[in-house]
């Protein structure tokens, strides 16, 4: 990402991600061709599966909910110049936090008050799990990339221990908690639309999707319309300017990481309180890592994050449908494609930048 | 604990540390040259898969080993292309290639073998045989690789230049040596070493390929690299220590120690990560990475 060739904003924000996406799509088509599948047919099945029915759209938006949260988490930290690749671990701990808070509050109330309690529990746990690497970077100089990787593994280990030995369901062979009370379960989209008089199919889509959109708006206000966000971005440009402006850089780094972790917690809220209604082992299933791709493609802007989260949601749902219809293809194709997209969008960023800049410069007179 | 079980733990500790040693040395070469490599995991997985496929098809373990080294090096070259030629973000490239390897191996495994991504069990000459002390040839190769890496980095012209490329690439450039070629050389070495790591997993320790069979070993190797402060012999001993921890964890499963009670396996599993975090935080000496690691080199015009 050094010495980027300047491009007009429209080309940078729209054309570049699309070109990278096209490269990934081409590689994917070659891969499908290689394993004896017709890429055009596969694309048709994926599109139909993701967008062709109310049910498909519901699933697409449910996956997108996870990606909006993890994408926002990565994007917010990125504005402060921090590369948080620990959304996976932060969401894992957040799921545990939500369950612990809800279980603790259940003897007192069974009502919908459990919902904010669970969300707060998730956010606290996610925030703390991210703030520790932030603190280690700000005060002890260890790089947040490496520490968040280590914290992902620690979160996985800690959650296995807790689910097996401490908060696991009694008499169950599966490492999972018992169900949370009805009051703590987020309303399904079907129920919410039903209350408004609309009929919709049963899907995992739930109130967390609304929360995700609200979170995106809040992040936009925070980053681009608040003093805090201005300071955050100032730190992201390089520490000296921020320090001379009298900003407490170390405190801001910890805060930025904590907020990032709190956003990643939203993914746990969607899964634990909205869909599974309990903590299941490895419920994060890689959504945290896809968040990196979502943030990259969305150029770390909340609107971009929503759009690319929708795209990845469609990819996940379409890919699931494809794996269902074509016996030769498994859901592993989704992970493969996500990897390709991250590689093309994030690492091969420069591939088109220079030729494109030259092309655009030639077309402008003078 | 009697002498026999002590020897058994040492033996299985060495066996378990072999993939870590190869992967850690791979990371060492790459990062010494200035290319941060968090894609060790993906390269290992790709190698484990390719090795199992080739060994299954041909029935010869060593053909499998070479296939694994080739596959891992190809993936490494992708990382090199993105990081060196395209000056892309090395962390992102690593994350991407890890995901690519995880998905691709499971998908292709399903397409080729139709057994949910795993390969059929390998038998006979398709597996690496045990030579002595419960070790396959890979254990001895790993020791040799550590020896050669330590020597090469300290004493050879290539090693010296690789280190310079990771510390001060402009100086290397000024001396008329190509930073690009040095870094590609190091990335290829890293690919070959990760190939050995992956082949050890699927042809030596297990009898075939399983999806996600590396299960974080690439990141443990990365942790070991940091813990060893980017030095070859300490890297070897750190990996051996982590392998021993693994062997002890297996041994202690469900065993109650006098006075302490049963130690949860997870507590031992967490140690490599905890060590690394504590070390990185400067509570136990200082771990300083090569100065130019992670920064693309832009030639001055």
């Amino acid at each position: 990402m050094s010495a980027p060739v300047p491009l007009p904003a429209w080309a940078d924000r729209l054309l570049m991600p699309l070109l990278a996406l096209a490269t990934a799509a081409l590689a994917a088509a070659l891969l499908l061709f290689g394993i004896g599948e017709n890429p055009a047919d596969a694309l048709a099945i994926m599109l139909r599966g993701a967008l062709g029915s109310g049910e498909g759209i519901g699933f697409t938006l449910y996956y997108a909910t996870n990606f909006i949260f993890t994408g926002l988490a990565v994007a917010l930290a990125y504005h402060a110049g921090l590369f948080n690749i620990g959304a996976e671990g932060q969401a894992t701990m957040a799921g545990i936090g939500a369950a612990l808070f809800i279980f603790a509050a259940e003897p007192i109330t069974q009502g919908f008050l459990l919902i904010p309690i669970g969300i707060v529990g998730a956010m606290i746990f996610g925030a703390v799990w991210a703030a520790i690497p932030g603190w280690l970077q700000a005060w002890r100089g260890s790089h947040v990339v490496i520490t968040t990787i280590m914290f992902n593994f620690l979160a996985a280990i800690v959650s296995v221990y807790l689910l097996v030995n401490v908060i696991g369901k009694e008499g169950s062979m599966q490492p999972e908690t018992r169900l949370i009370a009805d009051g703590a379960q987020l309303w399904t989209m079907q129920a919410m639309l039903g209350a408004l008089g609309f009929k919709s199919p049963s899907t995992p889509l739930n109130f967390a999707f609304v929360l995700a959109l609200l979170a995106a708006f809040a992040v936009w206000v925070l980053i681009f319309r608040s003093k805090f966000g201005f300071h955050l971005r100032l730190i992201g440009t390089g520490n000296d300017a921020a320090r001379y402006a009298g900003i407490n850089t170390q405190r801001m780094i910890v805060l930025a990481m904590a907020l990032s972790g709190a956003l990643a917690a939203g993914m746990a809220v969607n899964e634990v309180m909205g869909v599974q209604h309990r903590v299941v082992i490895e419920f994060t299933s890689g959504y945290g890592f896809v968040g990196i791709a979502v943030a990259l493609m969305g150029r770390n802007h909340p609107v971009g994050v929503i759009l690319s989260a929708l795209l990845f949601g469609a990819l996940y749902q379409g890919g699931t449908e494809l794996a269902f219809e074509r016996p030769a293809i498994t859901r592993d194709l989704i992970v493969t494609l996500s990897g390709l997209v991250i590689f093309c969008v994030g690492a091969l960023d420069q591939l088109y930048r220079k030729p494109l800049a030259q092309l655009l410069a030639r077309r402008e007179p003078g | 604990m009697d002498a026999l079980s002590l020897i058994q733990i040492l033996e299985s500790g060495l066996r378990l540390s072999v993939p870590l040693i190869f992967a850690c040395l791979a990371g060492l070469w790459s990062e010494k040259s200035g290319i941060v490599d968090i894609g060790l995991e993906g390269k290992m997985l790709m190698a484990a898969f390719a090795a199992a496929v080739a060994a299954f098809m041909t029935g010869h373990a060593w053909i499998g080993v070479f296939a694994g080294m080739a596959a891992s090096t190809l993936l490494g070259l992708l990382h090199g292309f993105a990081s060196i030629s395209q000056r892309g973000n090395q962390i992102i490239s690593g994350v991407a290639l890890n995901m690519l390897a995880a998905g691709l191996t499971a998908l292709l495994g399903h397409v080729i073998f139709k057994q949910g991504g795993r390969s059929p069990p390998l038998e006979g000459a398709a597996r690496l045989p045990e030579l002595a002390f419960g070790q396959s040839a890979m254990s001895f190769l790993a020791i040799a690789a550590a020896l050669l890496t330590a020597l090469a980095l300290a004493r050879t012209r290539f090693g010296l230049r690789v280190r310079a490329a990771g510390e001060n690439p402009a100086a290397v450039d000024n001396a008329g040596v190509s930073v690009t070629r040095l870094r590609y050389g190091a990335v290829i070495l890293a690919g070959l070493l990760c190939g050995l790591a992956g082949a050890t997993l699927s042809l030596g320790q297990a009898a075939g390929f399983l999806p996600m069979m590396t299960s974080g070993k690439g990141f443990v190797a990365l942790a070991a690299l940091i813990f060893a402060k980017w030095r070859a012999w300490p890297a070897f001993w750190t990996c051996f220590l982590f392998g021993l921890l693994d062997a002890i964890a297996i041994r202690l499963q469900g065993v109650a120690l006098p006075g302490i009670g049963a130690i949860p396996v997870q507590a031992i599993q967490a140690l490599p990560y905890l060590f690394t975090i504590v070390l990185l935080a400067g509570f136990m000496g200082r771990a300083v990475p090569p100065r130019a690691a992670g920064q693309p080199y832009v030639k001055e015009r």
Side-chain angles (χ1 to χ4, degrees), chain A residues 47-79:
Chain A
L47 280 175
R48 187 151 34 81
L51 306 168
S53 64
E55 204 185 357
I57 293 173
F59 270 91
T60 295
L61 294 179
Y62 145 69
Y63 287 119
T65 308
N66 285 337
F67 298 142
I68 293 175
F69 278 122
T70 53
L72 287 174
V74 177
L76 187 131
Y78 195 88
H79 279 287

Side-chain angles (χ1 to χ4, degrees), chain A residues 1 31 83 136 140 142 146 149-151 153-154 157 160-161 327-328 330 332 335-336 338-339 342-343 347 350-351, chain B residues 78 86-88 91-93 96 99-100 103-104 106-107 110-111 219 226 264 266 273 277 280-283 286 298:
Chain A
M1 287 208 183
L31 171 67
F83 196 19
L136 287 170
R140 310 291 316 185
S142 41
I146 300 291
I149 291 177
M150 301 299 148
F151 268 71
F153 284 99
L154 286 179
I157 291 169
V160 171
Y161 177 75
T330 61
D332 303 304
V335 183
T336 315
S338 308
I342 299 184
F343 190 69
Q350 303 283 322
L351 195 57
Chain B
L78 265 182
Q86 293 296 318
R87 297 179 203 135
I91 305 281
I92 294 174
S93 168
M99 286 181 80
L100 184 67
L104 202 57
L107 182 69
H110 173 78
V111 170
F219 291 102
I226 297 165
Q266 288 87 8
Y273 307 116
I277 291 166
L280 269 178
F283 294 120
R286 213 122 207 37
V298 186

Side-chain angles (χ1 to χ4, degrees), chain B residues 24 224-225 227-240:
Chain B
C24 190
L225 179 63
F227 195 74
K229 303 179 184 172
W230 290 269
R231 291 170 301 171
W233 275 121
F236 175 84
W237 289 113
T238 307
C239 290
F240 184 54

